[in-house]
Every structure is written in structure tokens, then in C-alpha cells.
Amino acid sequence: MTSADNRRPVGTVGNRNGGGTTVRGLTQKAHSPHLSLNDSLEGEVQTFLTDEDQLHTYDDLTKVNPVTPTTVLKCLQARYSMKVFYTHAGCTLVALNPFQPIPDLYSLDVMKEYHFAPQPQEFKPHIFIVAEEAYRNIQGQLELVNQSLVVSGESGAGKTWTSRCLMKYYATVAASSSVVTSQDTVERIERRVLDSNPIMEAFGNACTLRNNNSSRFGKYIQLQLDRNQLLVGASVQTYLLEKTRVACQPANERNFHIFYQLMKGATDEQRKEWKMPRGQRFAWLPNSEKTVEEDCFHETVEAMIHLGIKAERQQQIFRILAGILQLGNMNFSSSSDESQPCSLNEQSKDFLQRAAELLCVPAEELQTCLRVRTLKAGKQSVLKPCSQAECSMRRDCLAKVIYAQLFEWLVTFINNSICADKSTWCNFIGVLDVYGFECFHINNLEQLCINYANEKLQQHFVAHYLRAQQEEYVSEGLQWSFVKYQDNQSCLDLIEGSPVSVFSLLNEESRLNRASDAKTFRVRLEKELCDNANISWDKFSKEPHFTVAHYAGRVNYQIQGMVEKNKDPVPPELINLLQKSDDPLLQQIFTDKETENPTSKGLSKITVVSKFKNSLESLMKILHTTTPHYTRCIKPNPDSKPLTFKKEEVIMQLEACGIVETIHISAAGFPIRIPFKAFIQRYGLIAKYSSFKSGSHCVDVVADSDDIPRQEVEKLLHVVLGDKAFDSEKHNSWVHCGRTKVFLTQSMLDFLEDQRKKILSRCAFTIQCCWRRYQCHRRHVRRQSATLIQAAVRSWLVRRQVHRWNIAAAVIQSTWRNWKALLKSLAEAELDDAKDLVQEDVPELNPVIRERGSVQLSSIQEPVTVRGWPMGLALASAPSITVSLTATGFQKMMSVMASLNLPSRRGEYKVETNQYTQGVASIRAQPKGSVKLHCQRSPLLYADRQPGMKSDVTGFNEILLDKSL
């Protein structure tokens, strides 16, 4: 599905919940849905159906003209043939089950497309539009009210899949806008909320004649949102699990999915542990050869892990389920002696032993509890053997109570895992998924309760929309003609009314301490309820029954066994046995049960219908405090064949749920109703800041006033509708000002929201401009101040640096001059002869310097090379040198030897100077004749070091030493 394919034609104005004619004209056209008998209407229908190629383009049935069951049916059929499965019907969404996977219809890209769309109504109808409307309402578009999504329809119409899509949508969009710091938490909550679905469906859904994944319980899921509309948790409320299916499966139907998952997905090691060898058949697993999509054991185990159910606890759960299956294979045989309990054959004893081991209870005690009952007479207890039927009933009762309590424990664990603290969330979006309307060949108490729940939901729709909305139109002064509709209140009075109803009579019969008789109960029903037209009896039927005319059709209910199911007795011996179990989970479940009902002593005090009625009433209270959004799921054919449309099947469902009447009211009415005060508070700024307003039309918001005058609201509406794009003659079809409220169509509301958003954008732009101008001026002033400060600091730093440089230069110059003078004096002292110094009146050397290096050297027999500085430079030019060295001390000798190095070279002496290799030399004049050596230790730092011999002589040294080389 692409965005281009999803968009509606833009040229249509008021395309949903607000037609293009006046209210009076539309109400005249909607007097009765039975006008198909009129010839003129027949002509209009034929004219409308002539252009069949355009029928699939009606994405909102309020555009159909005329609105009749035939035209609505034809449009739905045309859209279904084009693989378009969603259609708007006023305030409700009609969803046709395709009975085949449509993956591109629910992808993540499609979710984001509907979520980020400015106007989702411009897209093609989709379940995501309903979800997004509820999500935007919770964001406070008008007022903060909790939302409820009511998904209804027959069994197999696609309610469970629709609820799953809604949960996936909210888990995605509520987490997509989360900040980085909370991303991990949101993903964890999102995953846990979604992982609750596979577990609930595995333990609560089963394959029936009408649906491969039929919900055998009702659930209301509250998705909890914080102030930022982020998903922080969820809670699940369940209603009336069909636990009788554990021990009794109708013909051609299956048990709960989890048992088949256990059989098909367990490994060999697990089968050995659970005592379920391959090839073994179980009496309570019929049609095990049939494979459905929900038989996925790995998915259930993975969901358990994500929800925090540890491996050890999982093993305990699966052992209990395996023990239940072993109970089903036990068969009792009647004893010839009535004083003796029923007997078990060898195979049944083996199954009993396996069940006892899996349930961790003693086998003998289990056998006794199933075959013998305890009667109390005062303080004494009497043991009485049970008949074969009673033994089977006690076996079934044990299996049902274990499974029911295990299911309740799972629901509690899921709630503890995903439910957020009340302080962390402020609003919720509820998703209601209940069993659909059922009518089988044999219907009993379960079908009566299921259909009763559907009657309550239908009545909620009737009371909230069909009846209450029309009554409000009249009370607010709108010109309105009532649209007739089917009211099912009489059927509800029959089932739950006071003082006499089916439920009340059933409870009275259940509380009598006697065996129930189906014929007697039927006679009483006929006597007490004969005045109600919704109940009837077939006097010629052999089986006692009664027939109820529900909103969706007539259903025959079998009376046999109904009273016993309503009692739902649990023998106290079975409860005591399970409390003594060594299995930690069983012990925990039934210990908590005894703690909650300490006086029950194993026998239920509250009947099934009373408990179900109370839970359903609490659900209706929640729905009445929320804003409902209806989705009607339609089953196009009874055989669940892909893309097969049966007209008779669909028309019955459309008439039962009142789709045609809903379309009439939606086309002629105003689905949006806002009190005057709230309207002025939200949209008064449009008149205040509108560019086309006049001074007399300016309306200020009076937040503290309890009563906003009608004239002020009308002035505001006149300003809002003063745009040239609107025709003044059609204002009444867009908006109506009642006595206390303003009535709007969806198109008018969208226009008001768009105008308000534009004004808020302009105001925000003005604020941003002023703020940016202030910030710019502030930055300019700061930049100038910083420039002045930087200039002053730099000037001071430069002056200080220059001053430091001057001082340093003076110190360097002075030191350099002193050093040069010292070197000059030392050089003169070393190079000049002593006599020359006397003759030339050279100043006498410092005594300290003279004392440092004067030595007498003894003669050395072996020729040596003289190396010294600057003495060696003078010797380099001498023709021949004879040296006599007299050593007077070791230190003096070593000092001289460090500065003189005279190796032998062809009997001659060669003088090598330090300056020769270093490229530094200084000499006054070449010596003439013989040279007298006056050896002194040089005061210079590096004078007596021997430099390397690899450097070349360059510069002035090369000129001076040319002759010597």
C-alpha cells in the first residue's frame, strides 16, 4: 500500500460525517430505512446501482444516495471484490474479513504513514485511522478523555486479528516518539505488551466450527500512557473463560490451542518428562491431525521468556497441562456392589498414576477423591461411593478447576509484568475483544453468556449513539426527525431484568439443594416469562429448550445441564488434594484461592451467571466513562473461504448491528459536540487574531465564566465562517449552535483545527522573531564588549612582552660582551710567549688561571702527536718539534696527556688541533723557527675534548692551515 493509493479525492468537501445539504433536507430523506417499498425510492436505487464500476469508490457509506440495505450491500461487495476491506459507515468502521494474509496492509511503513499524516481521514479507510483518532483524542485535541476501541462482530469475523493490529499500532506509534533515554524502557514495555497476546491466545482460544482462532474468553486491554502519550504499561481484564471446553469439546471442534502446541512442539526429552510418548492419543484432544496457524509452541515459549516466566516455572505449567490430558484418558466402570466405588481397568490405572506423578499428588488419594465423596452430618463425616457419572463429573471438575486457576494465574502474572504504577500514567486507550455472537446446533450456558455480552455491547452502541445522540439533537433545538432503529433493551430485560428474568430464575434453581430437572425448569420459565415477546418454546421438541430472539437472530438454548454449569460446584476434597500437592505452582494457586475465599470450603457461593454479570457491568461502567470508537467486523461467508462474498450472510449482519441506521444518523447529524465554554476557550483566538475579522466580531476568551452567551459563540462562528471559501447558505450543514453546545461535522472540526494551527504558528513565528532579534542584539553587544576587552588585554600583553624582551636583550648583550672579553684574555694568555708578554707589557694573568695548568713534563722516548687547543694550532705550522715532558704529579701528567696526543708518524711529529676538525681557529701569526711550549690547562669549557675526525675543515681554518696540510 502506497501513500498515493491511500489518499482520497481532494475535491470532495465534507466527505465524512457532514454532507453537502442542510440538516432538514437530510432528515427528510432519512425518515425510515424501510422506504425501499416505495416506487420512487426503487427508482433511485436502480439509478444508483447502474454505474457499478464506481461503486467501489465509495469509501464512506454516508455518500451513498439513497441509503438502503441494498445500496450499502452492493458498495461493500464491489469494494471487497477490489480487495478493499475497510469502509467508513459514519461513526463506525466496517471491516470485511479477507480470510487470507494481506501483509502489506499492516506494515510498519503504513503505520507511520497514517500516524504522521496531518489529516488521516484523507487516506483510504483503515483500522489505523480509528486508532489514530483515538490516539489524537488522548493527546488533548479537545479534552483529555480516556478512549475505548470496541471491536464487535460474529465469531470468525476477524475481531482477534483487528485487536492485535490495534495493539501493534499503539505499541509502535507510542514508542516511536520516545526520547533516547527512555528508548530501552519503551521497547521493553512494548515487547511485553505484544508478547501477552500469544500466551493469552494459546490458553484462551480454540478452533471452532466458525473460526480457527476463536476467543473463548473476553478481554479488555488498557494501554496505559503517560503525559507525553508514551506507552508505559498495560493491564488485562478477562471475562468468562469457557473452561468446560477442557473436558468437553463440541463435535468437529478442538480443545484450547496450548494442548495441541504441547503435543506437536515438545521435544523427545520433554515428552519423556511429561509422559507423553509419540503416538499416544488423548480423549480430550479431538481433531489433533488438523493443523492451524496457531499451533506454534516455540512462539508461546518465547513469549513466556520475554514476559519473565522462568524455565523452571514453564516446566511446572507444562507438567500440569500434561497431567490434565492424562486425566481425560481415565474411564470408570460401574461396580456391581453399590457400596463399593467404581473400578478402573489397568490402562486407566496407568493414566491415573501418570496424572498423579505429573500433578505431584499421591495416586491413592487422587483415586479416592475421584471415586468417593465425603458427606458431613453434623461433626461426623461419612464416605459414600460415587456412581460412574459422578466419578466422570468429578474428574472433569478437577481438570476444569485446575485449568481455570492456571489461566487466572497467568493473567495475574502478565498484569504484574506489564502493568505500570498508577503514578506513572494518566490516561489509557482500551481495546475490547470479546467472543462474537454464536449460534450452534447445541447451545448451552456458555452461548447464553456470550450472546448476552454481545447484547450488552449492542445496547451500549444504541444508547450511546443511535438513541442518546438523537435525543440530544432535539433537546438542543436542532430540527431533527428521529431515525428508527432496532432497540434490544427488551431482550436484555428478558435475560438480566428484574425482578424476573432468565438469569434470576436460573440462579434460584441453582441455589436449591436438590437435583435439577430440565423439564421442571422449562415449565417455570414458560410460566414466569410468557409475557416477553423475545422468548418462545417449541412444545413439540423432545429436548427441553427455550428460544431467544437476539438482535443478531434467534438462538435455541438447551436447558439440560444448564443449572449444573451455573452452580459450577467444586468438591472440597479436590481442593484439599491440590493444596497438598508437591508442585510449587499448584500449591501457590490453590493456597491463594483458599485465602481469598476462606469460607467457601471448596463450593462456589457465587453462580457463573452472577459472576459474569457483575464483571460485565463493571466493564460497561468503564466504557461509559470513555469515548468509544466502533469497529464492526463482518464475516463475508460462513465457510471462511478467501475473497468469497455471500450476500445473505452479510445482509443479516448489517441489519443486526444497525449499520444502515448508523449511516442515516451520521449523514444527517453532527458527530462532534462541544460545550460553549470549551469552544470559546479553544477557538476564541481564531476571532482574536484572524485577518478577516471585524471589530464587532472580536471575541475574547472568558475562562472563568460559567456561562458563555450564545451571542458570543455566534459572533465567533460568523467570524470563522466569514472566509470567501464558504457559501453562507450551507453553514447549517457544517455547524449548528444549540442551547448549550456547538454541533460540528468532522469537516468543520478539521477546518477549525487547521485555522487554529495557522494562528498558533503565526504567533509562534512572531515570538520566535522577537526572541531571535533580542538574541541577535544581545550577541552584538556582547561581541562589542568582548572586542574592547580583548583589545585592552592584547595591548597590555604586548607592552609587557616588549618590556621583558628589552630587559632580556640588555642582559644578553652584557653577558655576551663579558664572555668575549674573557675569551680574548684567555686566548692571549695561551698563545703569547712569556718573554713577549714581558716585552709587550702584557697584563699579568690572573694567578688562579696561571696556577691551573702550569706543569713540567719529562721526556717521552716515543714520538707522540701533539693535540691541544690553541697550542696545537701553533704547533701545526712548526717545521719540527722536540718536546721534553717532565711529570711532577699524576694529576698534572693526566691533564697534559688529555690535551697532548703525539703519535709516531715516520719519525716525525704531527700536530692535530681541536680547532682543525671543528672548523674553529684563531691565531695571531705563524711561528718562526723553533717553538717553545708553555703548557697551561685551558680555562675554556671544551678545550681539552677530542672532537670527531670526520668533519672537514672549512672557512678561515682552511686558509690558515693550508701549509701544514
Side-chain angles (χ1 to χ4, degrees):
M1 179 181 294
T2 61
S3 59
D5 296 334
N6 286 338
R7 297 197 175 277
R8 296 181 175 181
V10 182
T12 306
V13 180
N15 53 358
R16 186 180 178 195
N17 299 339
T21 58
T22 62
V23 177
R24 182 190 300 272
L26 283 175
T27 53
Q28 288 176 353
K29 193 171 57 180
H31 279 300
S32 173
H34 302 288
L35 293 179
S36 58
L37 301 176
N38 189 281
D39 295 337
S40 60
L41 187 58
E42 286 287 348
E44 294 181 7
V45 171
Q46 294 300 327
T47 303
F48 176 79
L49 298 178
T50 301
D51 194 1
E52 295 184 358
D53 296 337
Q54 298 298 321
L55 293 180
H56 71 277
T57 61
Y58 289 91
D59 51 7
D60 195 332
L61 297 178
T62 56
K63 303 176 185 177
V64 175
N65 188 13
V67 178
T68 65
T70 303
T71 56
V72 171
L73 181 66
K74 285 291 185 179
C75 288
L76 292 177
Q77 184 178 9
R79 293 176 64 81
Y80 192 75
S81 63
M82 299 296 295
K83 295 186 179 181
V84 181
F85 309 109
Y86 292 104
T87 307
H88 287 301
C91 66
T92 65
L93 180 71
V94 177
L96 294 169
N97 194 342
F99 292 115
Q100 67 178 12
I102 312 291
D104 295 338
L105 195 59
Y106 308 98
S107 63
L108 183 62
D109 294 336
V110 176
M111 293 183 188
K112 293 182 179 179
E113 193 173 2
Y114 279 92
H115 177 59
F116 294 109
Q119 295 294 336
Q121 291 80 9
E122 295 179 357
F123 286 66
K124 283 188 175 181
H126 201 288
I127 187 63
F128 293 158
I129 290 184
V130 180
E132 184 62 24
E133 287 180 356
Y135 187 69
R136 295 191 182 188
N137 287 348
I138 209 72
Q139 287 180 315
Q141 182 177 351
L142 293 175
E143 54 185 2
L144 290 176
V145 179
N146 297 324
Q147 309 291 307
S148 289
L149 301 174
V150 182
V151 183
S152 61
E154 290 191 4
S155 179
K159 300 183 300 299
T160 301
W161 172 259
T162 301
S163 301
R164 193 186 306 172
C165 292
L166 290 171
M167 292 181 62
K168 179 63 177 177
Y169 181 83
Y170 287 125
T172 302
V173 302
S176 61
S177 58
S178 61
V179 294
V180 178
T181 56
S182 63
Q183 186 66 31
D184 295 339
T185 303
V186 173
E187 287 182 357
R188 179 177 61 85
I189 293 298
E190 170 198 358
R191 189 171 187 176
R192 289 193 173 192
V193 170
L194 295 180
D195 283 335
S196 65
N197 259 338
I199 299 178
M200 301 288 286
E201 291 183 10
F203 284 84
N205 290 19
C207 179
T208 65
L209 292 175
R210 299 177 63 87
N211 187 6
N212 287 341
N213 190 30
S214 177
S215 298
R216 308 319 300 165
F217 73 106
K219 65 176 179 288
Y220 183 70
I221 304 174
Q222 287 186 348
L223 302 176
Q224 300 161 349
L225 307 175
D226 62 6
R227 296 185 182 276
N228 297 322
Q229 286 75 51
L230 298 180
L231 183 65
V232 296
S235 65
V236 182
Q237 302 176 25
T238 59
Y239 307 96
L240 188 64
L241 174 69
E242 189 189 14
K243 60 183 180 181
T244 56
R245 183 172 290 268
V246 175
C248 181
Q249 304 81 34
N252 299 323
E253 294 191 3
R254 300 203 318 174
N255 209 323
F256 291 104
H257 291 321
I258 186 61
F259 293 110
Y260 299 92
Q261 294 179 4
L262 206 66
M263 280 290 297
K264 299 178 181 180
T267 62
D268 293 337
E269 183 180 353
Q270 290 173 333
R271 286 178 174 274
K272 183 178 179 180
E273 181 183 357
W274 300 334
K275 306 183 186 306
M276 299 170 59
R278 292 188 181 274
Q280 182 180 359
R281 300 186 64 86
F282 293 95
W284 286 349
L285 289 186
N287 302 314
S288 58
E289 68 281 355
K290 183 178 180 180
T291 301
V292 296
E293 183 182 355
E294 287 70 27
D295 291 343
C296 186
F297 184 62
H298 175 72
E299 183 179 352
T300 303
V301 173
E302 187 176 359
M304 286 183 172
I305 295 174
H306 293 162
L307 281 172
I309 302 179
K310 298 180 180 179
E312 182 181 359
R313 185 66 79 185
Q314 293 179 27
Q315 294 301 318
Q316 295 172 4
I317 293 173
F318 298 143
R319 282 176 61 90
I320 293 173
L321 296 175
I324 292 176
L325 292 178
Q326 298 293 343
L327 288 175
N329 284 355
M330 295 170 49
N331 294 316
F332 298 92
S333 301
S334 300
S335 176
S336 58
D337 188 0
E338 294 183 358
S339 62
Q340 297 298 323
C342 296
S343 60
L344 292 170
N345 56 30
E346 291 299 326
Q347 190 175 9
S348 296
K349 288 181 180 180
D350 182 45
F351 291 136
L352 175 68
Q353 184 66 30
R354 294 183 187 181
E357 292 178 4
L358 291 171
L359 298 177
C360 299
V361 296
E364 294 181 359
E365 292 188 20
L366 176 60
Q367 183 176 353
T368 302
C369 291
L370 294 179
R371 298 191 304 167
V372 179
R373 60 177 176 171
T374 303
L375 300 178
K376 288 191 176 182
K379 295 182 179 180
Q380 296 182 352
S381 299
V382 179
L383 300 180
K384 182 180 179 180
C386 299
S387 63
Q388 182 182 6
E390 290 175 340
C391 289
S392 299
M393 184 194 70
R394 292 168 78 89
R395 176 202 60 191
D396 297 348
C397 181
L398 178 62
K400 290 187 294 183
V401 72
I402 292 176
Y403 192 84
Q405 293 303 313
L406 179 61
F407 184 80
E408 288 187 11
W409 179 87
L410 276 173
V411 174
T412 303
F413 186 92
I414 290 173
N415 283 330
N416 293 335
S417 177
I418 65 178
C419 187
D421 188 75
K422 187 63 177 71
S423 59
T424 61
W425 62 276
C426 55
N427 293 97
F428 69 83
I429 297 178
V431 179
L432 180 62
D433 176 23
V434 296
Y435 9 58
F437 186 84
E438 293 183 349
C439 179
F440 299 122
H441 180 67
I442 298 177
N443 305 284
N444 210 285
L445 183 64
E446 295 83 8
Q447 282 68 42
L448 178 62
C449 292
I450 289 173
N451 294 338
Y452 162 66
N454 282 271
E455 290 283 356
K456 292 287 286 186
L457 292 177
Q458 177 65 16
Q459 179 60 26
H460 176 266
F461 174 76
V462 170
H464 181 270
Y465 192 78
L466 298 181
R467 180 174 62 242
Q469 196 172 75
Q470 295 191 85
E471 292 177 353
E472 187 176 25
Y473 290 158
V474 176
S475 63
E476 288 290 333
L478 277 74
Q479 296 179 355
W480 184 263
S481 297
F482 269 89
V483 176
K484 294 181 180 180
Y485 56 89
Q486 180 183 357
D487 193 350
N488 64 334
Q489 185 59 48
S490 60
C491 184
L492 282 175
D493 294 338
L494 169 69
I495 298 175
E496 65 168 2
S498 180
V500 179
S501 63
V502 174
F503 279 177
S504 63
L505 295 176
L506 191 59
N507 287 334
E508 289 181 8
E509 188 72 18
S510 301
R511 292 189 178 98
L512 295 176
N513 191 14
R514 67 182 184 188
S516 61
D517 181 58
K519 294 182 178 180
T520 304
F521 184 61
R522 176 191 174 281
V523 171
R524 190 177 181 191
L525 287 175
E526 187 174 0
K527 178 181 178 181
E528 299 290 343
L529 303 175
C530 60
D531 296 335
N532 196 305
N534 292 89
I535 189 171
S536 60
W537 297 267
D538 185 2
K539 297 182 180 181
F540 300 100
S541 176
K542 296 180 180 180
E543 295 292 335
H545 74 281
F546 61 93
T547 303
V548 177
H550 292 284
Y551 77 96
R554 302 174 69 87
V555 181
N556 297 325
Y557 295 101
Q558 188 180 42
I559 300 179
Q560 186 67 38
M562 185 175 289
V563 177
E564 288 299 325
K565 289 183 178 181
N566 188 41
K567 291 180 181 179
D568 193 22
V570 180
E573 301 92 341
L574 299 180
I575 300 297
N576 295 332
L577 176 66
L578 295 173
Q579 288 175 351
K580 297 176 184 177
S581 172
D582 294 333
D583 187 274
L585 182 57
L586 277 178
Q587 193 174 12
Q588 175 187 348
I589 290 174
F590 286 95
T591 301
D592 295 343
K593 180 178 177 62
E594 185 67 19
T595 304
E596 294 174 2
N597 301 315
T599 61
S600 62
K601 298 182 180 180
L603 184 63
S604 177
K605 295 292 184 181
I606 303 178
T607 61
V608 172
V609 296
S610 296
K611 184 179 180 179
F612 182 65
K613 180 182 176 182
N614 293 335
S615 61
L616 203 58
E617 287 179 353
S618 64
L619 171 65
M620 302 311 297
K621 289 180 181 179
I622 296 175
L623 294 180
H624 283 301
T625 59
T626 61
T627 300
H629 303 265
Y630 301 98
T631 300
R632 298 288 191 179
C633 295
I634 303 296
K635 188 175 184 180
N637 65 84
D639 302 323
S640 302
K641 294 181 179 179
L643 301 178
T644 302
F645 193 91
K646 297 291 186 180
K647 297 180 181 179
E648 299 80 5
E649 183 81 9
V650 175
I651 197 66
M652 288 177 60
Q653 299 175 59
L654 293 177
E655 292 178 348
C657 60
I659 289 294
V660 177
E661 294 84 353
T662 303
I663 297 172
H664 278 298
I665 298 175
S666 299
F670 302 91
I672 311 300
R673 301 174 294 278
I674 308 175
F676 285 158
K677 182 178 179 180
F679 185 80
I680 290 294
Q681 287 178 339
R682 185 165 184 85
Y683 301 112
L685 57 87
I686 298 179
K688 185 175 182 179
Y689 295 99
S690 180
S691 59
F692 49 80
K693 70 179 181 65
S694 61
S696 60
H697 290 155
C698 182
V699 180
D700 293 329
V701 178
V702 185
D704 297 331
S705 175
D706 295 333
D707 183 20
I708 302 298
R710 180 190 177 95
Q711 293 81 6
E712 296 297 323
V713 177
E714 290 179 348
K715 289 180 181 178
L716 173 58
L717 293 175
H718 181 77
V719 171
V720 172
L721 299 176
D723 194 356
K724 296 180 181 179
F726 292 92
D727 187 358
S728 60
E729 296 180 358
K730 295 185 179 181
H731 286 172
N732 289 337
S733 64
W734 287 71
V735 60
H736 183 86
C737 186
R739 294 189 176 94
T740 61
K741 297 179 180 180
V742 179
F743 293 83
L744 307 168
T745 62
Q746 184 66 42
S747 301
M748 186 63 191
L749 179 66
D750 295 339
F751 173 74
L752 288 173
E753 287 294 327
D754 183 62
Q755 294 297 320
R756 182 176 182 271
K757 187 182 298 184
K758 290 180 179 178
I759 291 176
L760 290 178
S761 298
R762 289 203 303 266
C763 294
F765 179 75
T766 303
I767 295 173
Q768 289 173 354
C769 290
C770 296
W771 175 252
R772 288 172 181 168
R773 181 176 59 187
Y774 166 74
Q775 290 283 10
C776 183
H777 177 71
R778 188 179 180 184
R779 284 195 298 267
H780 178 69
V781 172
R782 286 185 175 182
R783 190 180 294 111
Q784 286 183 336
S785 302
T787 302
L788 293 176
I789 295 173
Q790 290 173 357
V793 171
R794 289 187 183 124
S795 176
W796 177 77
L797 289 175
V798 169
R799 289 196 302 270
R800 188 181 68 170
Q801 189 67 24
V802 170
H803 181 66
R804 288 181 178 179
W805 287 347
N806 291 335
I807 296 175
V811 172
I812 293 172
Q813 290 173 357
S814 176
T815 305
W816 175 253
R817 292 190 190 102
N818 294 337
W819 183 74
K820 286 184 66 177
L822 178 61
L823 288 183
K824 184 178 180 180
S825 62
L826 290 176
E828 289 176 353
E830 289 187 1
L831 295 176
D832 291 343
D833 190 83
K835 293 182 180 181
D836 295 338
L837 294 175
V838 174
Q839 295 175 358
E840 296 177 5
D841 296 328
V842 178
E844 187 178 357
L845 292 175
N846 194 324
V848 178
I849 299 176
R850 184 178 296 277
E851 185 181 356
R852 291 174 54 188
S854 297
V855 293
Q856 288 183 354
L857 302 176
S858 61
S859 61
I860 299 177
Q861 297 179 359
E862 297 180 359
V864 295
T865 301
V866 179
R867 182 181 294 274
W869 189 92
M871 176 182 60
L873 186 62
L875 297 179
S877 301
S880 62
I881 300 175
T882 301
V883 181
S884 296
L885 299 176
T886 302
T888 59
F890 179 75
Q891 294 293 337
K892 292 182 180 181
M893 182 183 66
M894 294 302 297
S895 176
V896 172
M897 294 303 295
S899 61
L900 297 177
N901 187 14
L902 306 175
S904 175
R905 179 171 174 262
R906 294 182 183 180
E908 297 180 357
Y909 294 97
K910 181 181 178 182
V911 178
E912 295 180 1
T913 66
N914 294 335
Q915 291 77 19
Y916 174 69
T917 58
Q918 292 298 321
V920 179
S922 177
I923 191 167
R924 290 184 176 183
Q926 293 184 353
K928 296 179 180 181
S930 61
V931 178
K932 297 180 179 180
L933 299 179
H934 180 75
C935 295
Q936 271 191 335
R937 216 166 97 190
S938 176
L940 301 182
L941 184 59
Y942 298 102
D944 49 4
R945 285 195 179 185
Q946 182 177 352
M949 306 298 296
K950 295 182 180 180
S951 60
D952 298 330
V953 178
T954 58
F956 188 64
N957 291 346
E958 184 178 5
I959 300 174
L960 294 178
L961 303 179
D962 185 41
K963 291 183 179 182
S964 63
L965 299 176

